[in-house]
Amino acid sequence: MSRAALLPKHVAAVVKYQKDPLRALEMFNSVKKEQGFRHNLLSYKCMVEKLGFHGEFEAMEQVLAEMRANIDNCLLEGVYIGAMRHYGRKRKVQEAVDVFERMDFYNCEPSVLSYNAIMNILVENRYFNQAHKVYMRMRDKRIVPDVYTFTIRIKSFCRTGRPHAALRLLKNMPSHGCELNAIAYCTVVGGLYEENLQDEAYELFDEMLRSETCPDVTTFNKLVHTLTKKGDVQQSERLLNKVLKRGVSPNLFTFNIFIQGLCKRGQLKEAAGMVDIVKREGLSPDVVTYNTLICGLSNNCRVSEAENYLQKMVNEGLKPDGFTYNSIIDGYCKMGMVQNADKILNDAVFKGYVPDEFTYCSLINGLCRDGDVERAMSVFKEALRKGLKSKSIIYNTVIKGLSQQGLIVEALQLMNEMQENGCKPDIWTYNLVINGLCKMSCVLDAHTLMSDAMAKGFLPDIFTFNTLIDGYCKQLKMANAIEILNSMWDHEVTPDVVTYNSVLNGLCKTSKSDDVRETFKVMVEKGCVPNVITYNILMESLCNDRKLVEALSLLDEMDTKCLAPDVVCFGTLMNGLCDNGDVDGAYQLFRRMGQQYKLLHTTATYNIMLNAFFEKLNMGMSHNLFLEMIENGCPPDNYTYRVMIDGFCMTDNVDSAYNFLLDNIKKGFIPSLTTFGRVINCLCLKHRVRKAVGIVHLMVRKGIVPEIVNTIFEVDKKEVAAPKIVLEDLLKKSHITYYAYELLFDGIRDTKLLKKKPRRSCSKNSKKRSCIDE
């Protein structure tokens, strides 16, 4: 009985289902020895697909060369397109272009399909100009573009921030014989949303549905993904409701995108609720669903809840992966709860999980943040013993931890060890140590280290320059900072907004506003777009020079540039107006902040106005603002109370000052000795010695005493001596007058006065008085 002949389709089937690409290639080559066997287009195509998919490009090129020798090249366009796509998927753009360019040479004339494939690869990898050149070449060859060509062009326009050009192209597609489809529509809708043109995007989406063009769930998911990346979950929900009415059913991927968007916005309750909705829709949450939620909870310091969801996914038969465990471990480490992270890790290892670089880096970061450098080094050595591939990441993490703890010598030693162990430091390694030196105010040493890095062939990046410039600016060494700024161009590193903000801030502290404005002008001319922080610095500089009109005009300038002023902007301007004596103007701006710009006031903005009205001795207005800030949920801080107490003392309202002092202490704040002294002086002037004595005793009970009091160990002696020592200290530091001192000294010794029970009233303030009467 003769053996059945081996056919190329049999080989193609084996290649297709073989998981190991090199074993598949071995089999593919071995069958060529079979008598009478020859590979055909099908078997070659399957082998190229298998090798390309697994990134075995050298072997793939060898098979392509063999295929060209044995198969008519006119038939190979589909194979070349597959090879291009595999290169593109691995971001090997030049190799993909080489495949495309060789097609002509090997007598395989590219059709619109090949042009589309290479254009899409170029656009996906942000080579937009090159993609346009390929399109123009296609038109020169009189190859007619199809729907996919226009969709790629639309995508290119959207990704370069030109959604209106994309919209015009979309509208012109029918005139080129191409029917509008959901993919093209949704690409433009996504581009409009990317540029914050929500109304136009929503209207176009409506237009698409009205034209009976409805996206399938895959196309819709891509659009939703664009929106949720921007954190616009509400718009996504609006669009979802519309397509649901058209019969499009969301799949698990849709819900996973929504959960991710909600987590990014910090809406963790809603994200957790979405998991329940998934189940109600008859879908089963997968590992991605739980991982997304667990990561969101961990990143927002709700790691114990994340751990509960870990248990839920295990109970539902899902196997946690490295991302699951690392999210929780990293969350606990960032919260300083390394013991909890250890517990999770031990449990994971018991279940077969092998810790990776991320696991060890999280533990090292957490231990260094806690100051436990010894144990961090122990974990580091354990990681090295495991033979992990990315040793440089582990080294950099330890160097970062040591640098943050001020252990620069140890960090530098580790850099040397790194080289000895065959793991070369990179510019990021140097940046970590440079940053640590700058934080310790050793900027000159940091500069020297950068020079050393350059001598060894490591080119400084934007972070290196920004760190040094910021270090010099904080030391107000502006000549050095500007010298480095100018040198950046020589190293082909373009200064960014962070660079210029550091320089502007330094100039603001050391120079006149004209110098700041001149540097700002240069910044804009160089094409660097200012941000809100830039304008905050400009406002501060102008306010310091009392150029209030110019400072206020910057609000309008920000409007024209679509920059929303923040609380710091208004605080700076309000402070400037108050310092210039224009309290009414500051108050108008204070109100405008909420009414026109819809910004919520903070304790800091209330404090600015409270202090301004106090300096005008307008305690009625200050008190009204104090009540308003409590009503609006802005808790008063120590500064708030100090301002109110000082104001009441200066306007001779001793009772209010006294009550505010007690309320201040009751809230857990510790007033300054100046504040205590001011209230005590006022009470003594009103001959309310008992209350003044009570404050001294309260200071003793709260531990607000000179250090010498703490050296008295005998309780009886301490009780007698402490009030007298506090009194002496207040007088010595000029916080109380000699007149007050004499009254209080007698009052402290007057046991009758101390034993005398105060008459209790039914007023609202009786609870506050009990603080002293106790």
Side-chain angles (χ1 to χ4, degrees), residues 217-235:
V217 68
T218 305
T219 307
F220 179 72
N221 283 347
K222 287 180 181 177
L223 176 58
V224 171
H225 188 58
T226 300
L227 281 166
T228 51
K229 274 197 299 185
K230 288 179 65 66
D232 208 337
V233 184
Q234 285 181 324
Q235 281 287 355

mmCIF file with all atom_site columns, all heavy atoms in Angstrom, residues 217-235:
data_model
loop_
_atom_site.group_PDB
_atom_site.id
_atom_site.type_symbol
_atom_site.label_atom_id
_atom_site.label_alt_id
_atom_site.label_comp_id
_atom_site.label_asym_id
_atom_site.label_entity_id
_atom_site.label_seq_id
_atom_site.pdbx_PDB_ins_code
_atom_site.Cartn_x
_atom_site.Cartn_y
_atom_site.Cartn_z
_atom_site.occupancy
_atom_site.B_iso_or_equiv
_atom_site.pdbx_formal_charge
_atom_site.auth_seq_id
_atom_site.auth_comp_id
_atom_site.auth_asym_id
_atom_site.auth_atom_id
_atom_site.pdbx_PDB_model_num
ATOM 1   N N   . VAL A 1 217 ? -19.418 47.160 17.307 1.00 0.00 ? 217 VAL A N   1
ATOM 2   C CA  . VAL A 1 217 ? -18.929 47.320 18.673 1.00 0.00 ? 217 VAL A CA  1
ATOM 3   C C   . VAL A 1 217 ? -17.418 47.571 18.702 1.00 0.00 ? 217 VAL A C   1
ATOM 4   O O   . VAL A 1 217 ? -16.920 48.330 19.540 1.00 0.00 ? 217 VAL A O   1
ATOM 5   C CB  . VAL A 1 217 ? -19.309 46.092 19.546 1.00 0.00 ? 217 VAL A CB  1
ATOM 6   C CG1 . VAL A 1 217 ? -18.568 44.831 19.119 1.00 0.00 ? 217 VAL A CG1 1
ATOM 7   C CG2 . VAL A 1 217 ? -19.070 46.371 21.018 1.00 0.00 ? 217 VAL A CG2 1
ATOM 8   N N   . THR A 1 218 ? -16.673 46.983 17.740 1.00 0.00 ? 218 THR A N   1
ATOM 9   C CA  . THR A 1 218 ? -15.214 47.186 17.704 1.00 0.00 ? 218 THR A CA  1
ATOM 10  C C   . THR A 1 218 ? -14.864 48.632 17.380 1.00 0.00 ? 218 THR A C   1
ATOM 11  O O   . THR A 1 218 ? -14.023 49.254 18.042 1.00 0.00 ? 218 THR A O   1
ATOM 12  C CB  . THR A 1 218 ? -14.569 46.250 16.661 1.00 0.00 ? 218 THR A CB  1
ATOM 13  O OG1 . THR A 1 218 ? -14.949 44.906 16.952 1.00 0.00 ? 218 THR A OG1 1
ATOM 14  C CG2 . THR A 1 218 ? -13.055 46.377 16.668 1.00 0.00 ? 218 THR A CG2 1
ATOM 15  N N   . THR A 1 219 ? -15.537 49.182 16.361 1.00 0.00 ? 219 THR A N   1
ATOM 16  C CA  . THR A 1 219 ? -15.304 50.581 15.981 1.00 0.00 ? 219 THR A CA  1
ATOM 17  C C   . THR A 1 219 ? -15.707 51.518 17.109 1.00 0.00 ? 219 THR A C   1
ATOM 18  O O   . THR A 1 219 ? -15.010 52.488 17.421 1.00 0.00 ? 219 THR A O   1
ATOM 19  C CB  . THR A 1 219 ? -16.105 50.922 14.705 1.00 0.00 ? 219 THR A CB  1
ATOM 20  O OG1 . THR A 1 219 ? -15.803 49.963 13.697 1.00 0.00 ? 219 THR A OG1 1
ATOM 21  C CG2 . THR A 1 219 ? -15.788 52.324 14.211 1.00 0.00 ? 219 THR A CG2 1
ATOM 22  N N   . PHE A 1 220 ? -16.856 51.226 17.728 1.00 0.00 ? 220 PHE A N   1
ATOM 23  C CA  . PHE A 1 220 ? -17.332 52.062 18.825 1.00 0.00 ? 220 PHE A CA  1
ATOM 24  C C   . PHE A 1 220 ? -16.358 52.014 20.005 1.00 0.00 ? 220 PHE A C   1
ATOM 25  O O   . PHE A 1 220 ? -16.091 53.035 20.636 1.00 0.00 ? 220 PHE A O   1
ATOM 26  C CB  . PHE A 1 220 ? -18.723 51.614 19.275 1.00 0.00 ? 220 PHE A CB  1
ATOM 27  C CG  . PHE A 1 220 ? -19.272 52.417 20.417 1.00 0.00 ? 220 PHE A CG  1
ATOM 28  C CD1 . PHE A 1 220 ? -19.703 53.718 20.233 1.00 0.00 ? 220 PHE A CD1 1
ATOM 29  C CD2 . PHE A 1 220 ? -19.339 51.884 21.700 1.00 0.00 ? 220 PHE A CD2 1
ATOM 30  C CE1 . PHE A 1 220 ? -20.190 54.478 21.277 1.00 0.00 ? 220 PHE A CE1 1
ATOM 31  C CE2 . PHE A 1 220 ? -19.827 52.632 22.752 1.00 0.00 ? 220 PHE A CE2 1
ATOM 32  C CZ  . PHE A 1 220 ? -20.249 53.927 22.536 1.00 0.00 ? 220 PHE A CZ  1
ATOM 33  N N   . ASN A 1 221 ? -15.812 50.840 20.287 1.00 0.00 ? 221 ASN A N   1
ATOM 34  C CA  . ASN A 1 221 ? -14.863 50.706 21.393 1.00 0.00 ? 221 ASN A CA  1
ATOM 35  C C   . ASN A 1 221 ? -13.630 51.583 21.202 1.00 0.00 ? 221 ASN A C   1
ATOM 36  O O   . ASN A 1 221 ? -13.099 52.152 22.158 1.00 0.00 ? 221 ASN A O   1
ATOM 37  C CB  . ASN A 1 221 ? -14.438 49.245 21.554 1.00 0.00 ? 221 ASN A CB  1
ATOM 38  C CG  . ASN A 1 221 ? -15.507 48.404 22.230 1.00 0.00 ? 221 ASN A CG  1
ATOM 39  O OD1 . ASN A 1 221 ? -16.466 48.939 22.786 1.00 0.00 ? 221 ASN A OD1 1
ATOM 40  N ND2 . ASN A 1 221 ? -15.367 47.090 22.181 1.00 0.00 ? 221 ASN A ND2 1
ATOM 41  N N   . LYS A 1 222 ? -13.153 51.692 19.947 1.00 0.00 ? 222 LYS A N   1
ATOM 42  C CA  . LYS A 1 222 ? -11.987 52.544 19.669 1.00 0.00 ? 222 LYS A CA  1
ATOM 43  C C   . LYS A 1 222 ? -12.291 54.004 19.975 1.00 0.00 ? 222 LYS A C   1
ATOM 44  O O   . LYS A 1 222 ? -11.455 54.734 20.521 1.00 0.00 ? 222 LYS A O   1
ATOM 45  C CB  . LYS A 1 222 ? -11.564 52.385 18.207 1.00 0.00 ? 222 LYS A CB  1
ATOM 46  C CG  . LYS A 1 222 ? -10.892 51.054 17.914 1.00 0.00 ? 222 LYS A CG  1
ATOM 47  C CD  . LYS A 1 222 ? -10.500 50.938 16.451 1.00 0.00 ? 222 LYS A CD  1
ATOM 48  C CE  . LYS A 1 222 ? -9.855  49.583 16.168 1.00 0.00 ? 222 LYS A CE  1
ATOM 49  N NZ  . LYS A 1 222 ? -9.526  49.429 14.724 1.00 0.00 ? 222 LYS A NZ  1
ATOM 50  N N   . LEU A 1 223 ? -13.510 54.429 19.634 1.00 0.00 ? 223 LEU A N   1
ATOM 51  C CA  . LEU A 1 223 ? -13.917 55.809 19.920 1.00 0.00 ? 223 LEU A CA  1
ATOM 52  C C   . LEU A 1 223 ? -14.023 56.040 21.420 1.00 0.00 ? 223 LEU A C   1
ATOM 53  O O   . LEU A 1 223 ? -13.543 57.062 21.943 1.00 0.00 ? 223 LEU A O   1
ATOM 54  C CB  . LEU A 1 223 ? -15.259 56.098 19.232 1.00 0.00 ? 223 LEU A CB  1
ATOM 55  C CG  . LEU A 1 223 ? -15.889 57.474 19.509 1.00 0.00 ? 223 LEU A CG  1
ATOM 56  C CD1 . LEU A 1 223 ? -14.953 58.603 19.112 1.00 0.00 ? 223 LEU A CD1 1
ATOM 57  C CD2 . LEU A 1 223 ? -17.222 57.597 18.782 1.00 0.00 ? 223 LEU A CD2 1
ATOM 58  N N   . VAL A 1 224 ? -14.634 55.096 22.118 1.00 0.00 ? 224 VAL A N   1
ATOM 59  C CA  . VAL A 1 224 ? -14.776 55.213 23.575 1.00 0.00 ? 224 VAL A CA  1
ATOM 60  C C   . VAL A 1 224 ? -13.400 55.246 24.241 1.00 0.00 ? 224 VAL A C   1
ATOM 61  O O   . VAL A 1 224 ? -13.175 55.998 25.192 1.00 0.00 ? 224 VAL A O   1
ATOM 62  C CB  . VAL A 1 224 ? -15.621 54.040 24.132 1.00 0.00 ? 224 VAL A CB  1
ATOM 63  C CG1 . VAL A 1 224 ? -15.584 54.019 25.654 1.00 0.00 ? 224 VAL A CG1 1
ATOM 64  C CG2 . VAL A 1 224 ? -17.054 54.154 23.658 1.00 0.00 ? 224 VAL A CG2 1
ATOM 65  N N   . HIS A 1 225 ? -12.472 54.463 23.693 1.00 0.00 ? 225 HIS A N   1
ATOM 66  C CA  . HIS A 1 225 ? -11.113 54.431 24.255 1.00 0.00 ? 225 HIS A CA  1
ATOM 67  C C   . HIS A 1 225 ? -10.455 55.811 24.130 1.00 0.00 ? 225 HIS A C   1
ATOM 68  O O   . HIS A 1 225 ? -9.777  56.272 25.052 1.00 0.00 ? 225 HIS A O   1
ATOM 69  C CB  . HIS A 1 225 ? -10.291 53.376 23.525 1.00 0.00 ? 225 HIS A CB  1
ATOM 70  C CG  . HIS A 1 225 ? -8.951  53.127 24.136 1.00 0.00 ? 225 HIS A CG  1
ATOM 71  N ND1 . HIS A 1 225 ? -8.793  52.721 25.445 1.00 0.00 ? 225 HIS A ND1 1
ATOM 72  C CD2 . HIS A 1 225 ? -7.688  53.238 23.640 1.00 0.00 ? 225 HIS A CD2 1
ATOM 73  C CE1 . HIS A 1 225 ? -7.513  52.587 25.726 1.00 0.00 ? 225 HIS A CE1 1
ATOM 74  N NE2 . HIS A 1 225 ? -6.822  52.898 24.648 1.00 0.00 ? 225 HIS A NE2 1
ATOM 75  N N   . THR A 1 226 ? -10.680 56.484 23.002 1.00 0.00 ? 226 THR A N   1
ATOM 76  C CA  . THR A 1 226 ? -10.153 57.845 22.801 1.00 0.00 ? 226 THR A CA  1
ATOM 77  C C   . THR A 1 226 ? -10.703 58.796 23.855 1.00 0.00 ? 226 THR A C   1
ATOM 78  O O   . THR A 1 226 ? -9.972  59.613 24.426 1.00 0.00 ? 226 THR A O   1
ATOM 79  C CB  . THR A 1 226 ? -10.529 58.364 21.392 1.00 0.00 ? 226 THR A CB  1
ATOM 80  O OG1 . THR A 1 226 ? -9.959  57.496 20.414 1.00 0.00 ? 226 THR A OG1 1
ATOM 81  C CG2 . THR A 1 226 ? -10.021 59.777 21.167 1.00 0.00 ? 226 THR A CG2 1
ATOM 82  N N   . LEU A 1 227 ? -12.003 58.681 24.123 1.00 0.00 ? 227 LEU A N   1
ATOM 83  C CA  . LEU A 1 227 ? -12.651 59.574 25.084 1.00 0.00 ? 227 LEU A CA  1
ATOM 84  C C   . LEU A 1 227 ? -12.198 59.301 26.513 1.00 0.00 ? 227 LEU A C   1
ATOM 85  O O   . LEU A 1 227 ? -11.925 60.224 27.272 1.00 0.00 ? 227 LEU A O   1
ATOM 86  C CB  . LEU A 1 227 ? -14.175 59.424 24.992 1.00 0.00 ? 227 LEU A CB  1
ATOM 87  C CG  . LEU A 1 227 ? -14.835 60.167 23.824 1.00 0.00 ? 227 LEU A CG  1
ATOM 88  C CD1 . LEU A 1 227 ? -16.250 59.684 23.621 1.00 0.00 ? 227 LEU A CD1 1
ATOM 89  C CD2 . LEU A 1 227 ? -14.831 61.646 24.076 1.00 0.00 ? 227 LEU A CD2 1
ATOM 90  N N   . THR A 1 228 ? -12.138 58.039 26.890 1.00 0.00 ? 228 THR A N   1
ATOM 91  C CA  . THR A 1 228 ? -11.785 57.712 28.276 1.00 0.00 ? 228 THR A CA  1
ATOM 92  C C   . THR A 1 228 ? -10.327 58.037 28.572 1.00 0.00 ? 228 THR A C   1
ATOM 93  O O   . THR A 1 228 ? -9.975  58.328 29.710 1.00 0.00 ? 228 THR A O   1
ATOM 94  C CB  . THR A 1 228 ? -12.062 56.233 28.592 1.00 0.00 ? 228 THR A CB  1
ATOM 95  O OG1 . THR A 1 228 ? -11.451 55.412 27.592 1.00 0.00 ? 228 THR A OG1 1
ATOM 96  C CG2 . THR A 1 228 ? -13.545 55.950 28.637 1.00 0.00 ? 228 THR A CG2 1
ATOM 97  N N   . LYS A 1 229 ? -9.459  58.012 27.537 1.00 0.00 ? 229 LYS A N   1
ATOM 98  C CA  . LYS A 1 229 ? -8.061  58.429 27.744 1.00 0.00 ? 229 LYS A CA  1
ATOM 99  C C   . LYS A 1 229 ? -8.005  59.891 28.170 1.00 0.00 ? 229 LYS A C   1
ATOM 100 O O   . LYS A 1 229 ? -7.123  60.298 28.910 1.00 0.00 ? 229 LYS A O   1
ATOM 101 C CB  . LYS A 1 229 ? -7.254  58.225 26.464 1.00 0.00 ? 229 LYS A CB  1
ATOM 102 C CG  . LYS A 1 229 ? -6.687  56.828 26.302 1.00 0.00 ? 229 LYS A CG  1
ATOM 103 C CD  . LYS A 1 229 ? -5.589  56.772 25.262 1.00 0.00 ? 229 LYS A CD  1
ATOM 104 C CE  . LYS A 1 229 ? -6.075  57.177 23.897 1.00 0.00 ? 229 LYS A CE  1
ATOM 105 N NZ  . LYS A 1 229 ? -5.038  57.009 22.845 1.00 0.00 ? 229 LYS A NZ  1
ATOM 106 N N   . LYS A 1 230 ? -8.959  60.680 27.693 1.00 0.00 ? 230 LYS A N   1
ATOM 107 C CA  . LYS A 1 230 ? -9.044  62.089 28.080 1.00 0.00 ? 230 LYS A CA  1
ATOM 108 C C   . LYS A 1 230 ? -9.834  62.265 29.382 1.00 0.00 ? 230 LYS A C   1
ATOM 109 O O   . LYS A 1 230 ? -9.999  63.381 29.861 1.00 0.00 ? 230 LYS A O   1
ATOM 110 C CB  . LYS A 1 230 ? -9.719  62.903 26.974 1.00 0.00 ? 230 LYS A CB  1
ATOM 111 C CG  . LYS A 1 230 ? -8.851  63.095 25.741 1.00 0.00 ? 230 LYS A CG  1
ATOM 112 C CD  . LYS A 1 230 ? -9.569  63.874 24.657 1.00 0.00 ? 230 LYS A CD  1
ATOM 113 C CE  . LYS A 1 230 ? -9.858  65.293 25.079 1.00 0.00 ? 230 LYS A CE  1
ATOM 114 N NZ  . LYS A 1 230 ? -8.663  66.122 25.266 1.00 0.00 ? 230 LYS A NZ  1
ATOM 115 N N   . GLY A 1 231 ? -10.347 61.167 29.917 1.00 0.00 ? 231 GLY A N   1
ATOM 116 C CA  . GLY A 1 231 ? -11.106 61.234 31.166 1.00 0.00 ? 231 GLY A CA  1
ATOM 117 C C   . GLY A 1 231 ? -12.548 61.678 30.971 1.00 0.00 ? 231 GLY A C   1
ATOM 118 O O   . GLY A 1 231 ? -13.228 62.032 31.929 1.00 0.00 ? 231 GLY A O   1
ATOM 119 N N   . ASP A 1 232 ? -13.021 61.655 29.705 1.00 0.00 ? 232 ASP A N   1
ATOM 120 C CA  . ASP A 1 232 ? -14.380 62.134 29.425 1.00 0.00 ? 232 ASP A CA  1
ATOM 121 C C   . ASP A 1 232 ? -15.349 60.956 29.408 1.00 0.00 ? 232 ASP A C   1
ATOM 122 O O   . ASP A 1 232 ? -15.853 60.542 28.354 1.00 0.00 ? 232 ASP A O   1
ATOM 123 C CB  . ASP A 1 232 ? -14.407 62.874 28.082 1.00 0.00 ? 232 ASP A CB  1
ATOM 124 C CG  . ASP A 1 232 ? -15.502 63.924 28.043 1.00 0.00 ? 232 ASP A CG  1
ATOM 125 O OD1 . ASP A 1 232 ? -16.454 63.785 28.814 1.00 0.00 ? 232 ASP A OD1 1
ATOM 126 O OD2 . ASP A 1 232 ? -15.395 64.854 27.225 1.00 0.00 ? 232 ASP A OD2 1
ATOM 127 N N   . VAL A 1 233 ? -15.626 60.404 30.584 1.00 0.00 ? 233 VAL A N   1
ATOM 128 C CA  . VAL A 1 233 ? -16.492 59.228 30.687 1.00 0.00 ? 233 VAL A CA  1
ATOM 129 C C   . VAL A 1 233 ? -17.948 59.602 30.432 1.00 0.00 ? 233 VAL A C   1
ATOM 130 O O   . VAL A 1 233 ? -18.707 58.815 29.844 1.00 0.00 ? 233 VAL A O   1
ATOM 131 C CB  . VAL A 1 233 ? -16.334 58.566 32.079 1.00 0.00 ? 233 VAL A CB  1
ATOM 132 C CG1 . VAL A 1 233 ? -17.144 57.283 32.163 1.00 0.00 ? 233 VAL A CG1 1
ATOM 133 C CG2 . VAL A 1 233 ? -14.872 58.267 32.363 1.00 0.00 ? 233 VAL A CG2 1
ATOM 134 N N   . GLN A 1 234 ? -18.355 60.798 30.837 1.00 0.00 ? 234 GLN A N   1
ATOM 135 C CA  . GLN A 1 234 ? -19.751 61.206 30.651 1.00 0.00 ? 234 GLN A CA  1
ATOM 136 C C   . GLN A 1 234 ? -20.119 61.262 29.177 1.00 0.00 ? 234 GLN A C   1
ATOM 137 O O   . GLN A 1 234 ? -21.202 60.814 28.782 1.00 0.00 ? 234 GLN A O   1
ATOM 138 C CB  . GLN A 1 234 ? -19.988 62.574 31.303 1.00 0.00 ? 234 GLN A CB  1
ATOM 139 C CG  . GLN A 1 234 ? -20.067 62.501 32.829 1.00 0.00 ? 234 GLN A CG  1
ATOM 140 C CD  . GLN A 1 234 ? -20.335 63.868 33.446 1.00 0.00 ? 234 GLN A CD  1
ATOM 141 O OE1 . GLN A 1 234 ? -19.847 64.875 32.969 1.00 0.00 ? 234 GLN A OE1 1
ATOM 142 N NE2 . GLN A 1 234 ? -21.099 63.880 34.517 1.00 0.00 ? 234 GLN A NE2 1
ATOM 143 N N   . GLN A 1 235 ? -19.222 61.826 28.343 1.00 0.00 ? 235 GLN A N   1
ATOM 144 C CA  . GLN A 1 235 ? -19.482 61.857 26.908 1.00 0.00 ? 235 GLN A CA  1
ATOM 145 C C   . GLN A 1 235 ? -19.576 60.446 26.350 1.00 0.00 ? 235 GLN A C   1
ATOM 146 O O   . GLN A 1 235 ? -20.408 60.154 25.487 1.00 0.00 ? 235 GLN A O   1
ATOM 147 C CB  . GLN A 1 235 ? -18.372 62.629 26.177 1.00 0.00 ? 235 GLN A CB  1
ATOM 148 C CG  . GLN A 1 235 ? -18.497 64.134 26.253 1.00 0.00 ? 235 GLN A CG  1
ATOM 149 C CD  . GLN A 1 235 ? -19.635 64.672 25.387 1.00 0.00 ? 235 GLN A CD  1
ATOM 150 O OE1 . GLN A 1 235 ? -20.283 63.943 24.653 1.00 0.00 ? 235 GLN A OE1 1
ATOM 151 N NE2 . GLN A 1 235 ? -19.895 65.957 25.498 1.00 0.00 ? 235 GLN A NE2 1
#
